[in-house]
Every structure is written in structure tokens, then in C-alpha cells.
Amino acid sequence: MTIEVRGLTKHFGAFAALDHVSLDVPGGGLVALLGPSGSGKTTLLRILAGLERPDAGTARIDGVDLASQSARQRNVGLVFQHYALFRHLDVYENIAFALRVRRRPRAEVDARVRELLALIQLETFERRLPAQLSGGQRQRVALARALAARPRVLLLDEPFGALDAQVRAELRGWLRRLHDEIHLTTVFVTHDQDEAFEVADRVVVMNRGRVEQIGSPAEVFEQPANDFVMRFLGHVNVLDAELGDGRARIGEVTLAIGGHNGDTRGRVYIRPHDVELTRTPADGAVAAHVVRVTPLSGGLKVDLAVPAIGSRLRCDLDWKRGTALGLRDGDDVFLSLHRARVFATDHGAAS
Amino acid sequence: MGYTLVYLSLIVLIPLATLVVKTAELSPGELWALATSRRAIASYQVTFGASLVAALVNAAFGTAIAWALVRYRFPGRALVDAIVDVPFALPTAVSGLALTAVFAPTGWIGRWLAPLGIQAVFTPLGITLALIFIGLPFVVRTVQPVLEDLEAEVEEAAAVLGATRWQTLTRIIVPALTPALLTGFALAFARAIGEYGSVVFISGNKQFETEITPLLIMTRLEQFDYAGATALALVMLIVSFAMLLAINGLGAWARRRAGHA
């Protein structure tokens, strides 16, 4: 089942929640809508589910215009951030709900519910009420409930947003494996970059009701289309520079840049992992002073003072490199900057 | 713990015990005769009948009012929300006088009822109206928080899962409200049984017709018939106690059933 969105626009009063959004989700694909709060990603999902009406534009599932169908008729699966489980019904009846309202035969309902209980690994919890489950278990029940009537597409609205970090990481992996098993066309809303990258095939980066970039996780991370995407996907060093001849001058340092926009002044973006540190001066390297070394889960974060560019920089090192350098607060080191980027349309201070 | 018990004893338990001790002065036979006299039975019928009808009416309309207050934003909503509490705050005698004035054949509402052959004042209908008036806040105030708790998201979930409006109402909303509704109903019923001030004016207090039990107790006391009064009071005490147990039982059931997510 493919999803096709064309020119979707939605205003709430003067606020443009969606501004001519177009995108495609291929059949069996798993697409993440990634963006800060207020970027319109949830509104887009709610329009697909039939809970909001667009002001303009169309959304189609398998070529059928959704405008002609109410939420009830669309047969989409929707999972909410705060589960929205039916509190007075136990796990079994929550999952069975979509089949009960369709008046399916008892045996069919039972078979389907048992199948789903096995899928979410909660077979022994069928008589529990939602209040007697942990957050992660509730969200799995919500997912099973959404899948019960074999929906055409599955829509997930920040499904792991209310869970703690460890459960969230576990469920991400589980959701990805589940998707590989059932191949249901899925749209997944999140503001968490790691979550989007880990779970989705394609990422739609949204900002202020617009699509900023669509691509695979590697594409949007390695080749951000603009400064918003660059800033939103992980930490980035932003430096004021003089531009010209495919080069940027930042204080006393000159760098080759990609994506020059013809301006004479602008901002240069460098990822922390593109800052290379050495103990001895390499060719073109600049002296820097280690302000602080912070261990992170993936390696070391090093805050550097760089007199030659009159600014501080952040540098991320993996464990191996970090250990080899043996950095301590106050050390003097040398740095080289790689893959400095300039964007044609700079949103300036937008973040 | 100790203070709580002392306080509870002074305020509640000792007066109640006195009542029981007082009735113990009567032989069981005498007690039974006093508690089941024809006039007493008639007063029970009026009291419990009118209270039951009033509580049922309140259950329906109180829920409707709570629904409107929670789900709709309309001008004057805050005012309506405040007015719901008026029956709580008003001295019951004032309520009684006001209701009698309004429903009297010459009153604002009574004058429209009179041509239809409906007389509210001095009939069981009037008693019921007074009991509806004083019981309303109980249902509204128990149902309201549960409705507020029932996120609109849950209804959206039901719709996306394919439920019609009617199915959402009968399968999701009503079951979720039932425990609170039962509690509100029981509270309104219990309050109505014991109500005195707002009823005495509008009821007319005709023996065997519109005489409520609390009034009959007053009458017995005025006639210095302390034994008769305490016999009736004991019946009321037992019923109130049973109601209280039922309410607590319902509350516990509600908590188990609709456990908070």
C-alpha cells in the first residue's frame, strides 16, 4: 500500500501547521517524519488517520483519495504517544476491539487476538488491565490493537516518547524487526534523530510545516540539504567566515568549502567528528587548548579553545582515538578541520 | 491515629451509640411495632420512592451537565460550573422556600403546570423536585473528573479502529463512566433519604401521602414520643449505614475496574 501526499496544507488560526507538504511512502516502506515540535509532523499523521481535515491538498492510499473516507472507514492503524488504551477493557479486549466493532465471528477474533498476543510477547497478560502494565507493555498492546483489523497502513505518533531511554531503545529494535516480518507500510513520527535513523528506511525532515529534506538516514546526515537539517541532525560547530574562491577564511584559518552560495560573508558548518586532533603539528593544523574532556556513550567529547579562529569548537572522538591521544583538561593540541560546509539558503539563527 | 479515633468517637460514634442505647430501652416487639406502624411504612415509601426517582433523574441529567461542562467551551461555562454547587451551599430551608414559591400554582413554573393539571406543591412530585435539586451536585461532581480524565484521544482511537459514534458511546464511554455514575447516584440517593429542610415546605406533610420519615421523626419528638422517634431513627441509621457500605464497595470496585493508567 503506497501513500501519496500532494500539497497538503493545514492552518490552525493564523498558524500554518502544514504548508504544501508532498511526499511518497512506497508500499512496505517505513518512513520517519522527523522534526522539532510544531513542525507539523503530527498534524500530517492525523490527517492521514482522518482525525483532521486538510485545508488544501490531497492524500491517497493506493491511489484512493482519503478525503472521501471518514476515520472509521479508512482502516489505518494508529498508535498514540500516550497509548490511549481503553482502561476498563483488559489486554485481550483492547486488542479485540477493532474486530468486535466489525462483528467478526468469535473464533476468528480469538485466533487473531492470540496471534497478536504472541507477536507482542504478552500471551500471559491477556486478562490484565492497562493500569497493571508497564509503559513499554502498554505501547505494545496499543500496537497490537492497531494491527488487529489488518490495517492498510500503520501510523505511529511518537510511539516511544513517553518511555524511558532503555525501554525506548529496546522497542525501537523490536519495531524494526516487526516491520521486517510484516512489511506493513508505516509512517513514524518522532523528534528523536537516533530513533528515526535506527527504525526508518527513509527520513522526512520537517520544519515549520514544510519538508526540508527527504532521503535515507545516511543521505540526510551526510548530505544535509540546508542549514536547518545540518543543525537539527546532531551537534554542529557554526563559525562566521569570509567566503570567496571556494574557500572560507575564519580568523587566521583558510578552509576549502562545498556548496558556496556566492555571498562574501556567511556561516561555515563543521560536524564535531570532522574535527581531527593531533599531538604534533600536522600540515595546516592549528594550535588549540583542551578546555574540557567529557566521556560520552560513544567516545569522548572535547571542548577546545582555538585562538587562531577566535572561537570555541567541539570535537567528538571515538574511544580508540581518544584513548590513543590520552587527552586531559588543559592540554595543548593541534586540530585540522574537514568537510566544512556552507549552505545556499541559510535560515540564519533558525534552529 | 489516637487523635483521629477520639475525634471520630466524639463527633460520630458516641451520638450514634446513644441512639442505639436509647432504642435498647424498648423491647424488640415494641421496637418492631413502632418501626412498622402504618404511618411509618407510608413515610418510608414516600422517602425512598421519591429519593430513588430523584437520584435516577440526577444520574441522567447530572451526567449530561458534566458532559457539557467538560467537552464544550461555551459562554457562561464558568458560571454554570459554579451554579452546580448552589444546592450544596444554600441552607436547605432557603432552597425549600424558593422551590415552593416557584412551583406553587401562582409561581413562575407552577403557573404553567397548573393548566396541565399538574400540581407540584404538596404532592410527591414536589418532594421529588426538591430532592432532584439538592442531589444534582453529587452526580455532576463525581462524573465530571472521570470525564475530564477520559481523553478525547481514547474516542479518536475508537473511531480509527472502526467504531461508529454509537459503538464508541456504548462500548467505551458508558462503561468508563459507570463506576463514577453509580457512586454519584448512591450519594445523591443517600443525601435525598436524609433530606429534611428543603422538603418540608413543598411537601405539605400530609399523613400517608407526603410525609417523609425525617419529618415523622420531628413530629414524634414534638409529641415527646422519644421511643417512637428513636425507633424510626434506628431504621434510618441502618439504611444510611447500608448505603455507605454500598458506596464504599462501589468505590473500591470502580478503582479496581477503571484503574488509573
Side-chain angles (χ1 to χ4, degrees), chain B residues 145-215:
Chain B
V146 178
L147 267 179
E148 271 164 6
D149 227 26
L150 190 74
E151 317 103 300
E153 237 176 37
V154 170
E155 286 170 53
E156 290 179 350
V160 173
L161 288 166
T164 60
R165 250 340 256 165
W166 176 251
Q167 285 172 322
T168 305
L169 186 73
T170 53
R171 287 169 183 263
I172 303 301
I173 297 170
V174 170
L177 284 188
T178 304
L181 193 59
L182 283 173
T183 307
F185 169 81
L187 284 169
F189 186 52
R191 170 70 202 264
I193 290 171
E195 183 57 19
Y196 173 75
S198 62
V199 177
V200 284
F201 300 104
I202 205 167
S203 71
N205 310 324
K206 285 178 274 183
Q207 286 181 32
F208 302 107
E209 254 182 72
T210 59
E211 188 175 53
I212 56 169
T213 313
L215 183 84

Side-chain angles (χ1 to χ4, degrees), chain A residues 56-322:
Chain A
T58 56
R60 295 167 193 276
I61 293 179
D62 255 9
V64 179
D65 193 342
L66 291 179
S68 59
Q69 298 176 324
S70 71
R72 187 170 81 75
Q73 296 161 332
R74 290 187 189 187
N75 194 19
V76 300
L78 177 61
V79 174
F80 295 85
Q81 177 174 3
H82 298 288
Y83 328 122
L85 290 175
F86 306 130
R87 258 182 219 180
H88 63 287
L89 298 179
D90 60 22
V91 168
Y92 186 100
E93 286 303 323
N94 262 284
I95 297 173
F97 186 82
L99 302 170
R100 296 253 191 257
V101 298
R102 285 172 174 76
R103 306 191 189 290
R104 294 282 169 76
R106 188 179 295 262
E108 183 194 327
V109 174
D110 191 63
R112 180 67 178 150
V113 172
R114 302 218 167 273
E115 189 185 331
L116 286 162
L117 280 169
L119 189 74
I120 60 169
Q121 296 147 15
L122 288 176
E123 288 107 320
T124 54
F125 290 72
E126 59 177 276
R127 290 301 160 210
R128 297 272 188 101
L129 288 170
Q132 298 165 317
L133 300 176
S134 72
Q137 291 169 336
R138 282 181 210 171
Q139 199 54 295
R140 282 187 285 169
V141 173
L143 188 69
R145 183 181 68 173
L147 292 173
R150 303 186 192 278
R152 298 187 291 166
V153 300
L154 180 63
L155 308 172
L156 305 156
D157 185 8
E158 301 260 5
F160 310 139
L163 303 170
D164 59 52
Q166 204 182 341
V167 179
R168 199 154 62 203
E170 241 175 69
L171 280 185
R172 264 185 224 162
W174 178 78
L175 179 68
R176 181 66 229 189
R177 289 194 299 279
L178 182 76
H179 181 261
D180 292 339
E181 264 175 55
I182 61 177
H183 293 296
L184 183 60
T185 309
T186 304
V187 181
F188 180 99
V189 162
T190 181
H191 63 264
D192 183 335
Q193 175 210 330
D194 295 341
E195 198 161 283
F197 282 13
E198 187 174 339
V199 175
D201 311 321
R202 292 180 79 69
V203 176
V204 178
V205 183
M206 293 188 68
N207 181 35
R208 298 184 187 179
R210 292 168 187 267
V211 172
E212 298 281 358
Q213 188 173 4
I214 302 179
S216 70
E219 276 164 16
V220 295
F221 189 69
E222 294 295 331
Q223 294 141 35
N226 56 40
D227 61 302
F228 172 81
V229 179
M230 184 91 197
R231 281 165 182 266
F232 189 69
L233 302 181
H235 193 84
V236 65
N237 293 300
V238 184
L239 302 165
D240 285 314
E242 285 171 35
L243 308 174
D245 296 336
R247 296 186 171 278
R249 274 188 65 80
I250 310 153
E252 299 160 22
V253 181
T254 305
L255 297 171
I257 49 170
H260 184 211
N261 61 0
D263 292 345
T264 54
R265 288 204 63 81
R267 289 192 177 79
V268 172
Y269 297 82
I270 303 166
R271 289 260 184 241
H273 60 256
D274 289 329
V275 177
E276 187 189 350
L277 291 190
T278 49
R279 280 286 187 183
T280 50
D283 189 30
V286 185
H289 185 72
V290 174
V291 178
R292 187 172 166 76
V293 180
T294 314
L296 298 178
S297 61
L300 294 179
K301 178 186 109 177
V302 186
D303 291 305
L304 300 157
V306 190
I309 60 173
S311 174
R312 287 201 171 182
L313 287 181
R314 172 172 165 175
C315 164
D316 288 350
L317 299 172
D318 60 37
W319 276 112
K320 211 169 154 189
R321 180 74 189 141

Side-chain angles (χ1 to χ4, degrees), chain B residues 222-237:
Chain B
E222 278 163 4
Q223 296 161 343
F224 303 104
D225 180 6
Y226 294 122
T230 45
L232 291 168
L234 190 68
V235 172
M236 296 296 275
L237 177 68

